Amino acid sequence: MKFRVVAIVALWVAMFAGSNAEAGGPYGSINIGNWKGGAYTDQTGAFTHCAAGSQYASGIYFMVMIDKGGGWSLALAHDKWSLKTGEAFPLTLTFDGQQPFNVHGVPIAEKLVRVPMPITSSLITQFRKARAMTAYTQGQLFQFNLDQTAQLLPAVLNCVEKTRRGGIANVGDFVVPAVKPVVANTTEPSGAQPAKPDKLFTQTGTGFLVSTNGHVVTNQHVVDGCVGDIQGNLTGEAPATLRVVSTDETNDLALLQVPGSFKEVAKIKDKAVQSGDSVIAIGFPFHGLLTSDFTVTTGIVSSLSGLLNDTRFLQISAAVQPGNSGGPLLAASGDVVGVVAAKLNALKVVRATGSIPENINFAIKTGALRDFLDNSVVPYQISDAKTELKTTDIARNARAFTLLISCKAKPKNETAKN
């Protein structure tokens, strides 16, 4: 691995210094977690840019660079690539599951591609504040944890400013020390009570596997507000830490990933359900209070639209409770026809109408789900099975791909979700 990194760094230097072997660097140091780098020069010894890079388990080497003029770039290198310089290299970059950027990188060498980021572009704006990034190219999806960019980017910028000001001979450690928080006056006014920290509670929901690579679908509100790790586990198995890949707040969907590979995954029904079709909801309502196992409830599709004729949703009669959110809604064939999302807020309806609603619950249709997975570049399986299974068989099959999802979260003022 090390000889590959050295070769990539040499390409990185040559990228801005020409092919002359006298070009050099790094001078000084940027050392933040797995990110390593510093200042670089051309063959005359003149400063050209500052950069830092990190090797990922996928085999890709990811770099961030600012040239002496303040221009930003990203660069990606992989020892299995065979690129042709000068040819367009299409990339789809997605930050924190937001709207993807379709960009064209510039192959600088056989295994190295550069992605310019104009200072005024929305691309650089998203990159600066993102916690995670995915890059899709040549049929492969690469994932990057950007948690340390809050420290990395100021260090690279400091490298440029410090080197321009003092020259290569005077460089050192470019890492910018963290600013210590100002200690506020803790003296309380007479009679005032000190503020109490928010008490965390356990937030639970349901998710289901959609790819053999461990991609899990759930509701966005299931992971919204989570503090610390998000845990997920199949029934009877130890919990594992889930990573948030992307979220869609508008459609209340979230994509997580659990380490490992899986043989059994949920299949999405190719054809949409119709009003009156039988459905089965699988989930973990009131986990630990009612049961530690998942529950199975049956019903029908009551309507092909949700509240106020929202066509993204199905109305279902299958009973769901807090904790069912994000779980699979299955057809009689055992295939997914929706993602359980919410139940009607009974108290609000009572106040408005004086009547207590019964069995009015909602699920996100597979059209929105498939669009979300396509945008997240996740391979999923579809099915056109027509054979109806017994509910017991459907539940047994679902056990292999339905997960309990939990985390610690701060109390919310109000929620109408499950």
Side-chain angles (χ1 to χ4, degrees):
M1 182 72 75
K2 288 185 178 179
F3 79 90
R4 289 206 298 260
V5 172
V6 171
I8 291 167
V9 171
L11 286 174
W12 181 246
V13 174
M15 189 166 94
F16 293 95
S19 59
N20 193 307
E22 296 300 319
Y27 299 96
S29 65
I30 297 173
N31 192 338
I32 298 172
N34 293 324
W35 295 89
K36 313 295 180 187
Y40 295 84
T41 64
D42 63 15
Q43 64 271 21
T44 68
F47 169 60
T48 56
H49 65 285
C50 288
S54 179
Q55 183 90 44
Y56 283 77
S58 62
I60 203 164
Y61 195 76
F62 180 43
M63 293 157 276
V64 180
M65 185 279 294
I66 306 177
D67 64 35
K68 64 180 180 180
W72 290 68
S73 293
L74 302 179
L76 303 168
H78 200 293
D79 65 341
K80 293 184 178 179
W81 286 349
S82 296
L83 310 178
K84 293 182 179 180
T85 58
E87 290 188 356
F89 187 83
L91 280 156
T92 299
L93 302 179
T94 304
F95 301 99
D96 292 338
Q98 302 301 309
Q99 188 71 24
F101 292 86
N102 294 313
V103 300
H104 285 85
V106 180
I108 303 301
E110 184 183 18
K111 303 183 185 302
L112 176 67
V113 62
R114 178 190 177 198
V115 182
M117 291 197 300
I119 196 69
T120 57
S121 69
S122 55
L123 174 62
I124 194 172
T125 301
Q126 288 295 323
F127 176 74
R128 283 171 167 169
K129 64 182 181 181
R131 299 287 300 276
M133 183 185 87
T134 61
Y136 181 74
T137 184
Q138 297 188 337
Q140 289 183 289
L141 180 68
F142 299 100
Q143 300 173 340
F144 305 93
N145 186 329
L146 302 181
D147 284 345
Q148 293 174 320
T149 53
Q151 296 172 270
L152 173 67
L153 301 186
V156 180
L157 187 58
N158 183 44
C159 171
V160 173
E161 294 175 347
K162 194 172 182 179
T163 308
R164 283 193 306 192
R165 187 170 56 247
I168 286 292
N170 298 309
V171 297
D173 184 1
F174 296 118
V175 176
V176 179
V179 178
K180 294 183 179 180
V182 177
V183 179
N185 185 352
T186 56
T187 303
E188 298 288 339
S190 178
Q193 296 294 323
K196 294 182 180 179
D198 289 333
K199 186 177 181 179
L200 300 180
F201 72 103
T202 299
Q203 179 169 292
T204 64
T206 306
F208 56 98
L209 287 160
V210 293
S211 85
T212 56
N213 294 327
H215 290 102
V216 177
V217 167
T218 188
N219 287 145
Q220 188 272 341
H221 76 260
V222 168
V223 296
D224 183 38
C226 286
V227 177
D229 290 340
I230 300 171
Q231 301 291 321
N233 60 285
L234 298 167
T235 301
E237 297 192 11
T241 300
L242 303 178
R243 182 180 66 85
V244 177
V245 177
S246 59
T247 59
D248 180 352
E249 185 175 0
T250 301
N251 292 304
D252 195 20
L253 290 169
L255 182 67
L256 314 177
Q257 189 170 25
V258 61
S261 58
F262 299 83
K263 293 182 178 179
E264 302 296 329
V265 299
K267 296 180 180 179
I268 300 174
K269 189 173 179 62
D270 189 26
K271 294 183 179 179
V273 291
Q274 302 297 319
S275 294
D277 284 353
S278 298
V279 288
I280 300 96
I282 307 288
F284 293 89
F286 297 114
H287 179 70
L289 180 62
L290 298 179
T291 176
S292 295
D293 198 1
F294 66 50
T295 64
V296 182
T297 57
T298 61
I300 63 169
V301 176
S302 306
S303 173
L304 297 179
S305 59
L307 285 173
L308 302 176
N309 291 316
D310 191 336
T311 56
R312 294 172 300 166
F313 292 86
L314 299 170
Q315 181 183 323
I316 58 175
S317 66
V320 299
Q321 304 295 340
N324 272 107
S325 283
L329 183 70
L330 305 174
S333 62
D335 301 320
V336 174
V337 292
V339 181
V340 175
K343 66 180 296 180
L344 199 64
N345 191 314
L347 290 178
K348 286 187 176 180
V349 175
V350 168
R351 295 190 191 108
T353 68
S355 299
I356 300 175
E358 295 183 4
N359 297 332
I360 300 178
N361 308 300
F362 303 99
I364 302 162
K365 290 181 179 178
T366 53
L369 172 60
R370 291 177 67 173
D371 286 345
F372 176 62
L373 294 176
D374 288 340
N375 289 335
S376 300
V377 200
V378 173
Y380 56 89
Q381 298 181 28
I382 59 174
S383 171
D384 59 357
K386 297 177 178 62
T387 303
E388 294 190 3
L389 304 177
K390 293 181 179 179
T391 302
T392 52
D393 293 332
I394 292 173
R396 183 179 63 252
N397 295 340
R399 190 175 297 279
F401 57 72
T402 307
L403 296 88
L404 168 69
I405 296 176
S406 63
C407 70
K408 294 296 183 181
K410 294 181 180 180
K412 298 180 177 65
N413 293 330
E414 183 179 359
T415 179
K417 309 285 187 180
N418 291 329

